[in-house]
């Protein structure tokens, strides 16, 4: 047994608060850690802070951290059920998910590299839409700080799975952070769901199976689930997930655009509110149209109208310019952003519908009928966008005409000179008269029709308008109408039926053709146009149809999980009654810690876990044709042939462990003594898997395997050159290592002190015993020596 480990102290810092989780990036010198306040901080090796992400809520704790392979993307799981994807490079929240349960762990799988064969699907359409679809213009009116988690783009980079493990035992798989790629409820596969706890769930290296480490009653089990759909359809799933990400980004863009539309419309109403609405509110319903028509036709103004026209010509021009600017902004949002997003959405859905016709590859993932229905819903939304565009264009023309007529009337009543270009034509006078008549449309009496009636949603009984008590539906309520009839546009931005339907142009041939031929209106080949739905309702209908498209892959993959092997690792103690219902106390009661690594060279999935305070186990699952399981069991106690050791080595216990690389495991150990008041000593243990290879046992995978009866436990001190120990300062409680970066971080002093070590250094550089103060003194002495030498040279 080697007595020292090659590691060098790089520095230590006392943290401002308790650190609960930490994780190294495998490619860059970035370490992320979560604090007791729910914050996530990313810093460099030299302690330079890159970004601090605030907590998503009060009393929210960070449950898990995971870096995407070779990327700056960090997945964070919170205790309130939120999963956030954070980008350290752009210092932004990329996207997020919300679940209704506490998070146990989140992690990114390794990158997916699909092997091509003659009978496999080749994914060669990556971002092909960029050839045909113009890039959507940015929405400059939205403050990035006001965006919610689900309103931002999805991550780009190496394709991989995001796995979300809930404390309840449910596991969710997401491909590219976008496509729901199945889920499994582990409680359905255990014998004692009332004494259940999940410790870890991992995807295997071929992405066709998962390993679930859990507690089942008084047994620690590792369950192996195979999934045939994942095995057969991983390449088509990547294609579908890529389009799913584009669709979700487009959905977020549509939501952002409609938010801009609402803000722009509120600006129009605000501009009208100061003077025009004040006058309108002082008049009885119907009098505004009468007064303006009287002024237009006879040139006579009442006292109320004269008071309304007391503004100067410049004042009305200022209001007119503000309203025109806001309406032009509305026009641009609908014509460019909303129309372009709807076209992009139709393109992606059309592509998915085409995939559905390739049944050999996509039969388990896409239902062609559901995809076609989503296309029709998208087409209906596009028609509603065009309908809103025509309504806004009409309002813009009417408002410009109205403002010009107001200024013309002010000049005429004040006996000022009227420019020649302000004289209205007969067609414009007719348009003004129609606009004044439509300012205050007739209010239908109750029971005359559906216009202006607000419908109540259907209750659980399925009957619209019936309340929960079973009484008859109440009398319909009238939707209030604003003066100047601005709700012609505003009604499209509300989640209710339209109160003023757009008039049908008798010169248009297609509406007449549909009215005369009912079979055409009901044909699935044509896109339906529901004139009563608002833009918000049509958007929600489209989103629901799109969500239905992605239900099938989730259902197919979830149903394909089949339990193939159950491995009993060890026996556990029974939970005390008072802590059986508390998941946090359950995790603290059993010391089960695990780490996972995929060894690509040997096609082996490796799992290291502690099964007690003094015993650990390394499981190696072969993914080859031999279906072998190799097991290495070690404990920290001296064995029967162990030579004399230091006193501390006789009572060590595990604190933490992680895979350093495919050939070694880093462990954190601590002395346990029954004497109160004695501070325990901490040790860093580097365990070599290659040195312990001859001490493992091999087993053929079977439906049920009981490892305690078929394996032998060895002392780490009895395996030659297997374990190297290094004493550490303080009481250490957590470990984070990175073999690719050759660094190790240890938390001590109640997780308030972070110490960073450099690994794999030469033996003569081993200075672990030096303190940070001694490093500072050496640096000062070297600087003084350099200055002294330069002074001597100058004197000579």
């Amino acid at each position: 047994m080697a007595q020292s480990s090659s590691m060098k102290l790089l520095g230590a810092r006392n943290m401002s608060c308790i650190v609960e989780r930490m994780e190294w990036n495998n490619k860059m010198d970035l370490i992320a850690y979560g604090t007791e306040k729910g914050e996530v901080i990313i810093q460099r090796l030299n302690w330079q802070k890159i970004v601090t992400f605030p907590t998503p809520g009060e009393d929210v704790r960070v449950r898990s951290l995971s870096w995407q392979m070779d990327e700056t993307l960090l997945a964070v799981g919170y205790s309130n059920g939120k999963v956030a994807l954070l980008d350290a490079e752009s210092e932004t929240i990329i996207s997020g998910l919300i679940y209704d349960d506490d998070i146990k762990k989140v992690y990114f799988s390794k990158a997916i590299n699909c092997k091509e064969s003659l009978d496999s699907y080749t994914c060669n359409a990556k971002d092909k839409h960029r050839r045909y679809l113009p890039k959507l213009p940015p929405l400059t009116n939205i403050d990035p700080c006001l965006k919610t988690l689900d309103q931002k783009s999805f991550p780009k980079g190496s394709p991989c799975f995001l796995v979300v493990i809930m404390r309840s035992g449910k596991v969710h798989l997401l491909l590219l952070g976008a496509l729901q790629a199945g889920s499994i409820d582990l409680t359905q596969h255990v014998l004692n769901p009332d004494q259940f706890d999940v410790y870890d769930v991992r995807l295997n290296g071929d992405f066709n199976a998962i390993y679930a480490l859990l507690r089942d009653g008084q047994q620690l089990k590792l369950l192996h689930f195979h999934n045939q759909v994942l095995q057969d359809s991983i390449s088509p799933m990547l294609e579908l997930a890529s389009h799913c990400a584009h669709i979700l980004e487009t959905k977020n863009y549509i939501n952002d655009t409609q938010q801009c539309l609402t803000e722009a419309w509120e600006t129009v109403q605000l501009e009208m509110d100061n003077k025009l609405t004040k006058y309108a509110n002082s008049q009885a319903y119907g009098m505004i149209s009468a007064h303006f028509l009287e002024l237009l036709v006879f040139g006579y103004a009442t006292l109320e109208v004269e008071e309304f026209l007391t503004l100067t010509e410049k004042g009305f021009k200022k209001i007119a310019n503000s309203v025109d600017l806001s309406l032009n902004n509305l026009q641009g949002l609908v014509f460019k952003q909303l129309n372009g997003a709807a076209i992009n959405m139709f393109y992606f859905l059309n592509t998915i519908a085409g995939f559905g016709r390739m049944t050999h590859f996509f039969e388990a993932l896409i239902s062609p009928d559901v995809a076609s229905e989503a296309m029709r819903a998208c087409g209906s939304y596009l028609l509603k966008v065009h309908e809103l565009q025509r309504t806004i264009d009409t309002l813009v023309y009417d408002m410009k005409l109205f403002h010009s007529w107001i200024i013309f009337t002010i000049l005429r009543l004040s006996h000022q000179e009227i420019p020649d270009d302000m004289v209205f034509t007969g067609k414009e006078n007719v348009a003004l008269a129609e606009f004044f008549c439509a300012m205050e449309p007739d209010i239908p009496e109750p029971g005359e029709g559906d216009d202006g009636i607000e419908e109540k949603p259907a209750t659980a009984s399925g009957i619209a308008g019936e309340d929960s008590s079973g009484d008859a539906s109440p009398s319909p309520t009238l939707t209030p109408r604003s003066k100047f009839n601005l709700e012609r546009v505003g009604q499209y931005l509300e989640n209710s039926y339209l109160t003023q339907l757009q008039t049908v142009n008798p010169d248009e041939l297609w509406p007449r053709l549909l009215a005369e031929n009912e079979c055409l209106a009901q044909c699935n080949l044509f896109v339906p146009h529901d004139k009563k739905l608002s833009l918000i309702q049509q958007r929600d209908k489209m989103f629901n149809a799109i969500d239905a498209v992605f239900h099938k892959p989730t259902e197919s993959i979830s149903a394909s999980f089949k339990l193939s092997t159950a491995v009993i690792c060890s026996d556990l103690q029974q939970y005390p009654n008072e802590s059986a219902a508390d998941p946090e106390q359950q995790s603290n009661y059993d010391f089960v810690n695990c780490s996972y690594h995929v060894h690509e060279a040997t096609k082996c999935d490796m799992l290291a876990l502690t099964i007690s305070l003094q015993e650990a186990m390394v499981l190696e699952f072969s993914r080859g044709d031999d279906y072998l399981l190799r097991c290495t069991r070690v404990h920290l106690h001296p064995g029967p042939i162990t030579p004399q050791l230091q006193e501390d080595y006789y009572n060590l216990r595990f604190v933490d462990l992680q895979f350093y690389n495919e050939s070694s495991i880093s462990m954190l150990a601590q002395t346990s003594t029954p004497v109160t008041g004695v501070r325990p000593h901490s040790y860093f243990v580097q365990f070599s898997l290659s040195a312990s290879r001859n001490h493992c046992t091999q087993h053929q995978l079977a439906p049920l395997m009981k490892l305690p009866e078929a394996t032998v436990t060895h002392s780490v001190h009895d395996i030659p050159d297997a374990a190297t120990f290094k004493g550490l300062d303080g009481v250490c409680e957590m470990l984070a290592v990175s073999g690719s970066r050759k660094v190790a971080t240890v938390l001590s002093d109640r997780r308030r002190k972070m110490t960073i070590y450099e690994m794999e250094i030469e033996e003569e550089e081993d200075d672990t015993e030096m303190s940070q103060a001694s490093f500072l003194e050496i640096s000062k002495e070297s600087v003084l020596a350099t200055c002294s030498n330069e002074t001597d040279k100058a004197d000579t």
Side-chain angles (χ1 to χ4, degrees), residues 57-245:
E58 295 183 1
D59 300 326
V60 176
R61 301 173 62 182
V62 178
R63 295 298 193 198
S64 179
L65 299 171
S66 177
W67 289 96
Q68 186 179 4
M69 191 68 66
D70 299 332
E71 299 289 342
T72 60
L73 193 66
L74 179 72
V76 184
Y78 294 98
S79 59
N80 63 348
K82 288 186 178 181
V83 177
L85 302 184
L86 313 179
D87 190 356
E89 184 176 6
S90 61
E91 302 182 7
T92 57
I93 302 175
I94 298 298
S95 63
L97 303 165
I98 299 178
Y99 295 95
D100 55 359
D101 190 17
D102 192 355
I103 302 292
K104 176 69 176 184
K105 182 177 289 188
V106 296
Y107 70 90
F108 285 108
S109 70
K110 69 182 185 73
I112 302 174
N113 295 317
C114 297
K115 296 182 180 180
E116 296 185 4
S117 60
L118 293 178
D119 58 345
S120 65
Y121 178 82
T122 302
C123 180
N124 57 3
K126 185 177 181 180
D127 293 340
K128 186 182 289 186
H129 66 278
R130 301 185 187 277
R131 304 179 187 176
Y132 313 109
L133 300 177
K135 186 176 180 180
L136 294 175
L139 296 171
T140 57
N141 293 339
I142 286 189
D143 184 0
C145 298
L146 298 179
K147 286 189 176 183
T148 56
L149 285 179
D150 58 347
Q151 288 180 325
K152 299 189 177 181
S153 301
F154 285 84
K156 304 297 189 297
S158 303
C160 62
F161 281 94
L162 175 64
V163 182
V164 182
I165 309 170
M166 320 300 296
R167 284 193 177 272
S168 62
K170 294 182 179 179
V171 183
H172 304 275
L173 278 66
L174 296 97
L175 191 53
L176 303 183
L179 178 65
Q180 294 281 348
S183 62
I184 183 174
D185 188 355
L186 297 176
T187 58
Q188 304 298 320
H189 301 274
V190 296
L191 302 177
N192 302 278
D194 54 334
Q195 289 195 0
F196 166 84
D197 195 9
V198 57
Y199 301 108
D200 201 358
V201 179
R202 294 286 175 166
L203 270 169
N204 75 337
D206 292 334
F207 307 102
N208 59 9
I210 63 171
Y211 305 99
L213 183 65
L214 50 86
R215 178 190 181 111
D216 185 3
Q218 299 183 41
Q219 291 181 330
L220 178 64
K221 290 184 178 181
L222 181 67
L223 304 183
H224 178 272
F225 295 89
H226 183 263
N227 194 297
Q228 192 65 35
V229 175
L230 287 177
Q231 179 173 326
D232 298 338
S233 306
I234 187 65
S235 186
M237 281 177 59
L238 285 175
E239 185 82 81
L240 182 61
S242 175
H243 284 77
C244 178

Side-chain angles (χ1 to χ4, degrees), residues 12-17 47 748-749 752-755 772:
R13 287 285 177 90
N14 290 319
M15 314 306 290
S16 59
C17 57
W47 306 99
S748 59
D749 297 347
R752 288 184 176 272
K753 183 179 180 181
M754 182 182 294
T755 308
Q772 202 170 9

Side-chain angles (χ1 to χ4, degrees), residues 381-546:
Y381 179 77
L382 186 58
L383 290 177
K384 188 61 64 174
V385 170
H386 290 168
E387 180 183 323
L388 174 60
Q389 182 179 336
R390 291 193 298 269
T391 304
I392 294 177
D393 292 342
T394 302
L395 180 62
V396 169
Y397 175 79
D398 292 342
M399 294 305 294
K400 286 183 177 180
L401 198 61
F402 172 67
H403 291 146
S404 299
W405 177 78
I406 287 289
I407 296 174
F408 169 82
T409 304
I410 291 176
L411 295 178
R412 182 174 63 82
L413 294 179
S414 58
H415 305 289
Q416 299 183 37
E417 183 179 356
I418 300 175
D420 294 338
D421 57 351
M422 292 191 67
V423 178
F424 293 91
T425 63
K427 183 179 179 180
E428 292 174 335
N429 284 324
V430 172
L432 274 172
E434 292 177 351
F435 175 68
F436 292 150
C437 291
M439 266 187 176
E440 297 172 304
D442 295 334
I443 301 178
E445 295 294 333
E448 284 188 5
D450 294 334
D451 293 344
I453 296 180
E454 193 175 300
E455 297 188 9
K456 295 180 72 67
T459 60
S461 62
I463 303 175
E466 185 177 353
D467 58 20
S468 58
S469 62
D471 298 335
S473 58
S475 58
T477 57
L478 297 178
T479 303
R481 299 176 181 275
S482 64
K483 307 300 192 298
F484 292 96
N485 197 18
L486 293 179
E487 73 273 4
R488 283 187 299 171
V489 174
Q491 63 179 348
Y492 285 89
L493 306 178
E494 297 177 358
N495 191 17
S496 58
Y497 289 104
L498 300 181
T499 57
Q500 297 185 54
L501 303 182
Q502 193 177 51
T503 57
V504 179
N505 188 355
D507 297 331
E508 293 183 359
L509 178 61
W510 182 249
R512 286 165 39 199
L513 190 61
L514 291 180
E516 295 172 359
N517 301 272
E518 186 178 355
C519 59
L520 290 179
Q522 298 179 354
C523 181
N524 291 332
L525 298 177
F526 300 106
V527 174
H529 184 195
D530 195 334
K531 297 183 178 180
K532 293 185 178 181
L533 295 182
S534 66
L535 185 69
I536 301 295
Q537 291 175 318
Q538 195 72 66
R539 178 204 62 182
D540 294 342
K541 187 176 181 179
M542 176 183 66
F543 285 178
N544 292 334
I546 293 174

Side-chain angles (χ1 to χ4, degrees), residues 282-472:
S282 64
Q283 303 298 311
Y285 197 85
M287 295 306 297
I288 300 176
S289 298
H291 290 165
F292 281 147
L293 281 172
E294 190 176 11
L295 183 58
L296 174 67
V297 177
F298 302 107
Y300 174 76
T302 61
L303 295 177
E304 292 83 357
V305 175
E306 289 184 356
E307 183 179 355
F308 168 66
L309 300 176
T310 54
L311 274 179
T312 62
E313 175 190 356
K314 292 183 178 180
F316 265 108
K317 283 185 177 180
K318 183 178 180 180
I319 294 178
N321 291 334
S322 299
V323 174
D324 290 345
L325 183 62
S326 300
L327 289 175
N328 289 333
N329 190 20
L330 273 177
Q331 281 182 305
L333 287 172
V334 174
F335 180 72
K336 294 181 180 180
Q337 277 90 342
L338 211 56
N339 186 67
I343 293 175
N344 285 15
M345 184 70 79
F346 191 87
Y347 175 89
F348 296 133
L349 292 174
N350 184 41
T351 306
I352 290 179
F355 290 154
R357 299 179 185 275
M358 303 167 62
T359 56
H360 180 70
F361 299 111
F362 291 92
E363 183 177 8
L365 304 176
I366 301 174
S367 174
D369 294 338
V370 177
S372 299
E373 188 61 31
M375 286 180 57
R376 298 179 73 242
C378 183
S380 299
Y381 179 77
L382 186 58
L383 290 177
K384 188 61 64 174
V385 170
H386 290 168
E387 180 183 323
L388 174 60
Q389 182 179 336
R390 291 193 298 269
T391 304
I392 294 177
D393 292 342
T394 302
L395 180 62
V396 169
Y397 175 79
D398 292 342
M399 294 305 294
K400 286 183 177 180
L401 198 61
F402 172 67
H403 291 146
S404 299
W405 177 78
I406 287 289
I407 296 174
F408 169 82
T409 304
I410 291 176
L411 295 178
R412 182 174 63 82
L413 294 179
S414 58
H415 305 289
Q416 299 183 37
E417 183 179 356
I418 300 175
D420 294 338
D421 57 351
M422 292 191 67
V423 178
F424 293 91
T425 63
K427 183 179 179 180
E428 292 174 335
N429 284 324
V430 172
L432 274 172
E434 292 177 351
F435 175 68
F436 292 150
C437 291
M439 266 187 176
E440 297 172 304
D442 295 334
I443 301 178
E445 295 294 333
E448 284 188 5
D450 294 334
D451 293 344
I453 296 180
E454 193 175 300
E455 297 188 9
K456 295 180 72 67
T459 60
S461 62
I463 303 175
E466 185 177 353
D467 58 20
S468 58
S469 62
D471 298 335

Side-chain angles (χ1 to χ4, degrees), residues 527-796:
V527 174
H529 184 195
D530 195 334
K531 297 183 178 180
K532 293 185 178 181
L533 295 182
S534 66
L535 185 69
I536 301 295
Q537 291 175 318
Q538 195 72 66
R539 178 204 62 182
D540 294 342
K541 187 176 181 179
M542 176 183 66
F543 285 178
N544 292 334
I546 293 174
D547 293 340
V549 174
F550 300 110
H551 284 167
K552 185 169 184 179
T554 302
E555 295 172 354
S556 299
I557 297 172
S558 300
S560 185
F561 280 112
K562 304 297 181 184
L563 180 62
S564 58
T565 302
V567 180
I568 299 177
C569 300
S570 68
D571 294 330
L572 301 174
Q573 300 181 24
Q574 188 174 3
Y575 284 139
N577 295 331
E578 61 271 12
S579 65
D582 190 346
E584 191 68 27
Q585 294 185 20
Q586 291 177 2
S587 299
N588 295 333
Y589 186 75
D590 289 329
F591 185 75
V592 179
N593 205 337
C594 56
S595 181
Y596 182 76
H597 186 82
V598 177
H599 194 184
E600 292 293 349
T602 60
K603 295 192 64 177
C604 182
D605 303 323
M606 309 170 68
L607 184 71
L609 63 149
T610 59
I611 57 179
S612 69
L613 289 174
Q614 288 82 26
E615 189 173 350
M617 178 183 292
V618 181
L619 302 177
E620 302 179 40
F621 290 87
S622 174
R623 302 196 308 272
D625 297 333
D626 50 2
Y627 298 103
L628 287 179
L629 167 62
R630 297 179 181 89
C631 177
T632 304
R633 291 179 62 182
V634 296
H635 60 77
L636 293 176
H637 288 227
I641 61 173
T642 304
Q644 187 68 25
L645 300 173
Q646 298 181 19
E647 183 180 356
D648 285 348
Y649 291 171
Y650 286 93
N651 53 3
L652 290 177
R653 69 178 184 88
F654 286 112
V655 176
D656 200 356
L657 87 167
Q658 277 191 11
F659 273 101
Y660 181 77
N661 52 32
E662 64 276 359
S663 59
S664 60
I665 300 175
S666 298
M667 303 176 179
L668 197 60
Q670 192 179 105
T671 58
S672 57
T673 173
V675 181
T676 58
V678 177
R679 192 178 187 187
H681 300 162
S682 298
Y683 291 88
F684 183 91
V685 184
Q686 196 77 347
F687 184 76
S688 173
L689 294 176
S690 57
S692 62
R693 185 69 64 190
N694 294 331
H695 294 75
C696 71
T697 56
Q698 294 189 9
H699 313 269
Q700 196 75 27
L701 288 180
L704 179 61
M705 304 178 64
K706 298 179 180 181
L707 292 184
E709 301 175 358
T711 57
V712 179
T713 305
H714 301 274
S715 172
V716 294
H717 307 284
D718 295 340
I719 304 176
D721 301 325
T724 56
F725 289 71
K726 175 63 68 175
L728 303 178
D729 294 334
V731 181
C732 301
E733 301 181 34
M734 186 176 290
L735 177 69
V737 297
S738 174
S740 57
R741 298 296 307 167
K742 297 182 180 181
V743 290
T745 302
V746 176
L747 284 180
S748 59
D749 297 347
R750 297 182 179 179
R751 300 189 181 184
R752 288 184 176 272
K753 183 179 180 181
M754 182 182 294
T755 308
I756 301 179
Y757 297 93
E758 180 183 359
M759 306 294 292
E760 302 182 43
I761 64 171
E762 299 296 332
E763 289 295 333
E764 58 268 17
E765 298 179 9
D766 189 0
D767 291 326
T768 325
E769 301 300 329
M770 292 187 178
S771 63
Q772 202 170 9
S774 63
F775 277 110
L776 183 60
E777 293 298 330
I778 293 174
S779 300
K780 289 181 179 179
E781 291 174 4
S782 62
V783 172
L784 292 176
T786 304
C787 294
S788 177
N789 293 336
E790 292 180 354
T791 304
D792 294 341
K793 291 180 180 179
D795 293 340
T796 56

